Amino acid sequence: MKVRLPAWTATLTWKSACFIVVMCCTLAALLGALVHVEVTRQTVATAREKALGKLHDVSRAYEAGEALPPGSGLDPAGLPPKLRALAVGGRRGTMVADFEGRPRMWAAAPADGRALATAIDYEQSARTINGLDNAIIGSSVLAIGGTLLVGAFAVTRVTRRLHQTATVARRITQGDLDARVGDPRTKDPSRHQDEVSTVAGALDTMAGSLQTKLESERRFTADVAHELRTPLTGLQAASELLPEGRPTELVRERVRTMRQLTEDLLEISRLDSRSEVVETDLHQLGRLAGRVVRASGTDTEVVVVRDAHVETDRRRLERVLGNLVANAHKHGRAPVVLTVDGPVVTVRDHGDGFPDYLMEHGPQRFRSGGGKGHGLGLTIAVGQAEAIGAELSFRRAEGGGALAVLVLPEPPAGLAGPGSA
């Protein structure tokens, strides 16, 4: 079974800390090993020179028949067997070995088929090497800790700026086109920019360009819709003067369609600009839904499972429900059912269901799917739902058909009226 690591191990701070620790440990181990080997080599070489010098004096005394100094003699006790064999074989050598619980540097040379050996105290040299090893370990720990603190501080500064850039990007994604990173390095030309400030500057530039283009499109849409209202009003008045007949009905229908499209474009423009003020009040949801269905003039069944009082903008909520009902009848098939279950309102038809792109990305203006255009109705419904703080989602109903789910925010407990959820 694959072990799943905690989420914090994927952060840049954690990865940087691990990298710093690994590199510091590797560097400390390499430097410590080099220092240990070099100091040990010099210490052993110094002790060997002393032992060989003493062995030379012992050899002269032995050849002269004089008394040998203490710690010296032929095959003395404690002489390492390997060194004795080396001396008996006719060669001189040295070796470090413990004698009576203390480390000694032995030196031996051949003498009449035996080993003439002497020893010097090696305890101080061994203590020096052990102290050096402890100093290397302690200094390495301190160096790793200090480097880790400094590295963590530097990495945290970078990750904090990256988090700020990511937060601004999410705000832009959610529609806040005024959001900017505002990195001071991008505002001052005299300061050198690093990679993070370059990304922040690019994001700010992209957001500004996107905001300019969207505002230009919104103004263009609003201007076109506004300019169309006057000639359409005149066209509608002129159509009323035409003699009754099938051609006249067709003209009047097309004029009404054009006027409705113009009003929808103006409403979308106002929603995009976020300039409208939401006027909320307490309303009984079941009664409001019934009124919307009656105003639509459609054969829509209203089912109130659990009525509720909601604090919302009545005009905007009626617009949302009216567009959902109209869309269900226009692009789905009967029966169409509007259900109220507490603060949740669903509109279901029994047609082919919403296309995949709409359920994944939401309604798109003037996009058609399966030969049927969704137009601006669902786009306005989504915009008005966001304006009143509701959540509108599109799904496929069990058993077939399209299902639009509107979740309204519940009012505070003190404002809930009788019959509320």
Side-chain angles (χ1 to χ4, degrees):
M1 188 176 75
K2 187 177 181 180
V3 179
R4 184 176 179 85
L5 297 176
W8 52 267
T9 58
T11 61
L12 182 60
T13 303
W14 167 254
K15 293 179 180 179
S16 301
C18 291
F19 176 76
I20 292 173
V21 169
V22 171
M23 292 303 297
C24 287
C25 290
T26 304
L27 183 61
L30 290 176
L31 292 178
L34 291 175
V35 172
H36 172 81
V37 170
E38 182 63 23
V39 172
T40 301
R41 185 186 66 79
Q42 293 179 4
T43 303
V44 171
T46 302
R48 181 180 292 113
E49 290 179 1
K50 290 181 180 180
L52 292 176
K54 185 177 179 181
L55 178 63
H56 179 70
D57 296 337
V58 170
S59 297
R60 292 177 59 183
Y62 176 77
E63 292 174 356
E66 299 176 356
L68 301 180
S72 305
L74 293 172
D75 296 329
L79 180 64
K82 291 184 178 180
L83 186 58
R84 179 184 287 109
L86 182 68
V88 171
R91 300 173 60 188
R92 292 198 313 169
T94 59
M95 180 178 291
V96 177
D98 290 340
F99 179 65
E100 296 180 350
R102 300 176 64 182
R104 293 177 180 272
M105 173 65 78
W106 292 89
D112 299 329
R114 301 174 66 183
L116 179 63
T118 186
I120 63 173
D121 187 19
Y122 192 74
E123 186 174 4
Q124 183 61 37
S125 299
R127 189 181 298 114
T128 301
I129 295 176
N130 291 334
L132 175 65
D133 291 341
N134 293 332
I136 291 175
I137 294 175
S139 60
S140 299
V141 172
L142 291 177
I144 292 172
T147 306
L148 184 59
L149 290 177
V150 175
F153 174 75
V155 172
T156 301
R157 292 190 61 187
V158 174
T159 55
R160 187 184 301 115
R161 294 166 59 197
L162 289 175
H163 283 308
Q164 181 184 3
T165 304
T167 301
V168 172
R170 283 191 290 267
R171 289 173 56 189
I172 295 174
T173 303
Q174 294 170 359
D176 185 6
L177 298 181
D178 294 324
R180 297 292 186 274
V181 179
D183 195 312
R185 293 171 179 79
T186 62
K187 299 178 181 179
D188 188 359
S190 63
R191 300 181 64 178
H192 297 290
Q193 295 188 16
D194 57 7
E195 288 78 2
V196 180
S197 60
T198 301
V199 173
L203 179 63
D204 288 348
T205 303
M206 181 199 69
S209 177
L210 180 62
Q211 185 178 28
T212 301
K213 291 181 179 179
L214 291 179
E215 289 182 352
S216 177
E217 292 179 1
R218 180 181 57 81
R219 285 195 300 268
F220 175 76
T221 302
D223 292 343
V224 169
H226 183 74
E227 293 298 327
L228 285 175
R229 297 178 84 179
T230 301
L232 285 176
T233 302
L235 187 61
Q236 184 177 16
S239 67
E240 298 297 331
L241 301 178
L242 295 175
E244 297 296 334
R246 181 58 180 168
T248 300
E249 290 298 326
L250 292 176
V251 171
R252 291 174 181 174
E253 182 183 353
R254 295 296 181 268
V255 171
R256 284 194 296 269
T257 302
M258 287 291 294
R259 283 183 61 87
Q260 184 61 46
L261 177 60
T262 302
E263 296 299 329
D264 288 345
L265 289 174
L266 285 174
E267 187 168 359
I268 288 179
S269 177
R270 289 192 294 267
L271 289 172
D272 289 341
S273 64
R274 303 178 184 272
S275 58
E276 291 188 322
V277 179
V278 178
E279 299 178 355
T280 61
D281 199 356
L282 198 63
H283 299 280
Q284 188 174 348
L285 191 54
R287 183 182 303 171
L288 187 146
R291 184 164 56 246
V292 169
V293 170
R294 289 193 298 272
S296 68
T298 59
D299 184 16
T300 303
E301 180 184 359
V302 179
V303 179
V304 179
V305 178
R306 184 167 51 104
D307 205 353
H309 283 74
V310 292
E311 187 179 11
T312 186
D313 188 319
R314 181 182 59 83
R315 181 186 66 83
R316 295 177 185 273
L317 180 55
E318 289 179 349
R319 177 69 159 155
V320 173
L321 296 180
N323 282 15
L324 294 179
V325 171
N327 182 81
H329 282 280
K330 183 177 182 180
H331 302 290
R333 287 192 296 269
V336 176
V337 182
L338 187 151
T339 305
V340 177
D341 188 0
V344 180
V345 182
T346 60
V347 178
R348 178 189 177 181
D349 63 59
H350 291 74
D352 297 329
F354 293 116
D356 293 335
Y357 81 86
L358 189 143
M359 291 187 292
E360 293 177 3
H361 306 291
Q364 301 177 21
R365 304 170 191 181
F366 301 107
R367 170 140 183 196
S368 61
K372 293 185 177 182
H374 290 273
L376 304 176
L378 294 183
T379 304
I380 293 175
V382 171
Q384 294 290 13
E386 292 179 355
I388 61 178
E391 180 182 354
L392 179 58
S393 59
F394 304 95
R395 311 170 188 172
R396 280 200 175 94
E398 295 183 3
L403 180 66
V405 181
L406 179 68
V407 181
L408 295 162
E410 295 191 33
L415 295 179
S420 62

